[in-house]
Amino acid sequence: MGNITKIAAATIGLAAALSASAGEVEVLHYWTSGGEAKSAAELKKIMQAKGHTWRDFAVAGGGGDSAMTVLKSRVISGNPPSAAQVKGPAIQEWAAEGVLANMNGLAKAEKWDDALPKVVANVMKYQGNYVAAPVNVHRVNWLWGSADALKKAGVSAMPTTWDAFFAAADKLKAAGLIPVAHGGQNWQDFTTFESVVLGVGGPKFYQDALVKLDPKALGSDTMKQSLETFRRIKSYTDPAAPGRDWNLATAMLIQGKAGFQLMGDWAKGEFLAAGKVPGKDFLCAAAPGTANAFTFNVDSFIFFKLKDPAAQKAQSDLASALMSSGFQEVFNLNKGSIPVRTGQNMDKFDDCAKLSSKDFTETAKNGGLVPSVAHGMAIAPATEGAIKDVVSQFWNDDKVSVADAMKQIATAAKTQ
């Protein structure tokens, strides 16, 4: 889902691993929940069909931080796995250490540059060379609606502007329902905040303020308006929100107790698992004001330099499998996300995924495709953490003024 540091189902193999033997591929990943585990099994099957041995570097019960610690010690000792699940700016941090393999030969042969939007391909490269492969794209700027709750409140359509959103929220409140289901964790607060900034200011402002961290943008009237809108949303959440997990917030929509949730498309997995049908039981729309934009969260794998030729071949076959349209279809049908390859056949996907895919392709062309800060795709982890803390403090404490929050965000943006 989001942050590598907080993946609840994150997993680590702490057992000392043997050096990669001929045709063995060892992979550190976090795919242990239902749909994800099915996808890992699918990948294992593809590799075994090519004659390779698959080895999971994953055991339930750990956290992303300890996974990275174990990975670092393995790499330092000269015994890296074939691949590890790493994303966003962390890819460049690993590459800067000089430990990642150059995958350009394969990428060229399989035309990765043609298959991926440039903004996504750039995240997978270091100094112009591919060092990682993406498996999916999650859209973060979604607004989900409960058909039951909205009907009960007399809300006839999903709101496309913040004014319409607040008018609908007032109707939900009047009907005795919770207008906005929210969970109190800093990444959830920031998921909402970045959608507000995108909706109020548009993609260029979002890039300037939250990705480039431009002081002028951070101190602008548009940022002031974004924080005011963000605070207004808080007034429509319920008192039990602090500490609530995101999936429990989604459950409030499934039960018809709440009207809206601002959350990435992993929320769709919860609706589908509960037997709910998109367009009938639940509704999906881009967050207000963001129909022409797309905040992306991409899961990917980095590839380590290996000495053994058989292991290198297995690694290359793994990268090829991850990028194949067949695996991307299976994986994303299980995960709720969409294939990262543009031009992928979407016939088997639901309407929300089809809309996501269409918008992904269009925003890649018009400049509306932007990285999610909340989900570790845009800025250095220390800076991201500092800004998230400020935004959550503002969300949770009405005594923090908008002017103070603006100053604190500008200061946090300088954190290295």
Side-chain angles (χ1 to χ4, degrees), residues 210-284:
L210 299 186
V211 181
K212 294 176 184 166
L213 304 173
D214 172 23
K216 205 167 121 207
L218 292 174
S220 66
D221 281 349
T222 308
M223 182 52 80
K224 179 172 175 281
Q225 198 188 333
S226 299
L227 283 159
E228 287 166 354
T229 306
F230 180 60
R231 173 156 278 167
R232 198 172 162 196
I233 294 169
K234 170 75 192 298
S235 66
Y236 291 99
T237 62
D238 66 307
R244 178 189 287 142
D245 284 332
W246 68 271
N247 54 321
L248 298 180
T250 308
M252 292 162 67
L253 270 71
I254 291 167
Q255 292 153 8
K257 292 177 182 171
F260 297 120
Q261 182 184 20
L262 286 147
M263 187 50 61
D265 53 19
W266 45 90
K268 188 180 68 179
E270 296 294 305
F271 288 110
L272 298 178
K276 302 298 179 189
V277 179
K280 179 172 164 266
D281 305 309
F282 69 97
L283 307 166
C284 58

Side-chain angles (χ1 to χ4, degrees), residues 13 185 202 343:
Q185 290 152 338

Side-chain angles (χ1 to χ4, degrees), residues 140-143 161-162 165-166 180 182 188-203 205-206 209-210 221-234 262-263 286-290 293 295 374 391 394-395:
V140 180
N141 60 314
W142 277 117
L143 176 69
T161 65
W162 286 113
F165 175 83
F166 291 123
V180 181
H182 187 77
Q188 293 193 61
D189 299 340
F190 210 93
T191 293
T192 298
F193 180 66
E194 71 180 21
S195 283
V196 171
V197 171
L198 187 62
V200 170
F205 177 76
Y206 176 97
L210 299 186
D221 281 349
T222 308
M223 182 52 80
K224 179 172 175 281
Q225 198 188 333
S226 299
L227 283 159
E228 287 166 354
T229 306
F230 180 60
R231 173 156 278 167
R232 198 172 162 196
I233 294 169
K234 170 75 192 298
L262 286 147
M263 187 50 61
T290 73
T295 36
V391 167
F394 174 74
W395 175 263

Side-chain angles (χ1 to χ4, degrees), residues 322-377:
L322 289 167
M323 275 290 289
S324 68
S325 53
F327 176 72
Q328 296 235 343
E329 178 176 273
V330 170
F331 177 69
N332 289 292
L333 284 169
N334 286 331
K335 187 103 162 52
S337 42
I338 59 167
V340 71
R341 297 180 65 101
T342 52
Q344 175 100 12
N345 184 314
M346 296 295 289
D347 289 352
K348 290 184 185 171
F349 288 82
D350 61 70
D351 289 348
C352 296
K354 283 174 180 162
L355 173 62
S356 190
S357 184
K358 180 176 84 69
D359 289 351
F360 177 60
T361 304
E362 284 174 11
T363 57
K365 290 174 190 156
N366 68 19
L369 186 60
V370 294
S372 167
V373 177
H375 298 277
M377 294 304 304

Side-chain angles (χ1 to χ4, degrees), residues 52-341:
H52 301 303
T53 310
W54 172 276
R55 180 193 295 222
D56 263 345
F57 183 179
V59 175
D65 281 347
S66 40
M68 289 302 112
T69 306
V70 176
L71 181 60
K72 276 172 188 157
S73 67
R74 284 279 306 273
V75 174
I76 289 164
S77 68
N79 180 28
S82 311
Q85 193 175 348
V86 169
K87 66 177 190 176
I91 294 171
Q92 277 70 41
E93 288 179 7
W94 277 102
E97 299 293 321
V99 294
L100 299 190
N102 182 336
M103 305 303 285
N104 273 0
L106 176 72
K108 219 171 204 162
E110 298 194 346
K111 301 188 169 148
W112 290 9
D113 273 347
D114 295 342
L116 300 173
K118 196 170 189 297
V119 62
V120 174
N122 288 344
V123 180
M124 304 300 137
K125 292 176 181 181
Y126 178 69
Q127 296 181 342
N129 299 316
Y130 276 101
V131 292
V135 288
N136 69 337
V137 59
H138 280 292
R139 186 182 201 171
V140 180
N141 60 314
W142 277 117
L143 176 69
W144 303 96
S146 162
D148 278 354
L150 297 181
K151 193 176 172 188
K152 204 179 283 181
V155 177
S156 56
M158 288 288 273
T160 56
T161 65
W162 286 113
D163 285 346
F165 175 83
F166 291 123
D170 285 334
K171 285 184 178 177
L172 285 156
K173 206 173 196 173
L177 296 159
I178 297 163
V180 181
H182 187 77
Q185 290 152 338
N186 73 356
W187 70 265
Q188 293 193 61
D189 299 340
F190 210 93
T191 293
T192 298
F193 180 66
E194 71 180 21
S195 283
V196 171
V197 171
L198 187 62
V200 170
K204 188 186 181 304
F205 177 76
Y206 176 97
Q207 285 273 23
D208 289 345
L210 299 186
V211 181
K212 294 176 184 166
L213 304 173
D214 172 23
K216 205 167 121 207
L218 292 174
S220 66
D221 281 349
T222 308
M223 182 52 80
K224 179 172 175 281
Q225 198 188 333
S226 299
L227 283 159
E228 287 166 354
T229 306
F230 180 60
R231 173 156 278 167
R232 198 172 162 196
I233 294 169
K234 170 75 192 298
S235 66
Y236 291 99
T237 62
D238 66 307
R244 178 189 287 142
D245 284 332
W246 68 271
N247 54 321
L248 298 180
T250 308
M252 292 162 67
L253 270 71
I254 291 167
Q255 292 153 8
K257 292 177 182 171
F260 297 120
Q261 182 184 20
L262 286 147
M263 187 50 61
D265 53 19
W266 45 90
K268 188 180 68 179
E270 296 294 305
F271 288 110
L272 298 178
K276 302 298 179 189
V277 179
K280 179 172 164 266
D281 305 309
F282 69 97
L283 307 166
C284 58
T290 73
N292 297 324
F294 189 116
T295 36
F296 67 84
N297 174 21
V298 172
D299 287 317
S300 54
F301 284 84
I302 55 174
F303 303 101
F304 290 94
K305 284 179 180 170
L306 303 173
K307 296 186 187 91
D308 179 55
Q312 288 173 359
K313 172 74 175 89
Q315 181 186 57
S316 178
D317 285 348
L318 171 70
S320 180
L322 289 167
M323 275 290 289
S324 68
S325 53
F327 176 72
Q328 296 235 343
E329 178 176 273
V330 170
F331 177 69
N332 289 292
L333 284 169
N334 286 331
K335 187 103 162 52
S337 42
I338 59 167
V340 71
R341 297 180 65 101

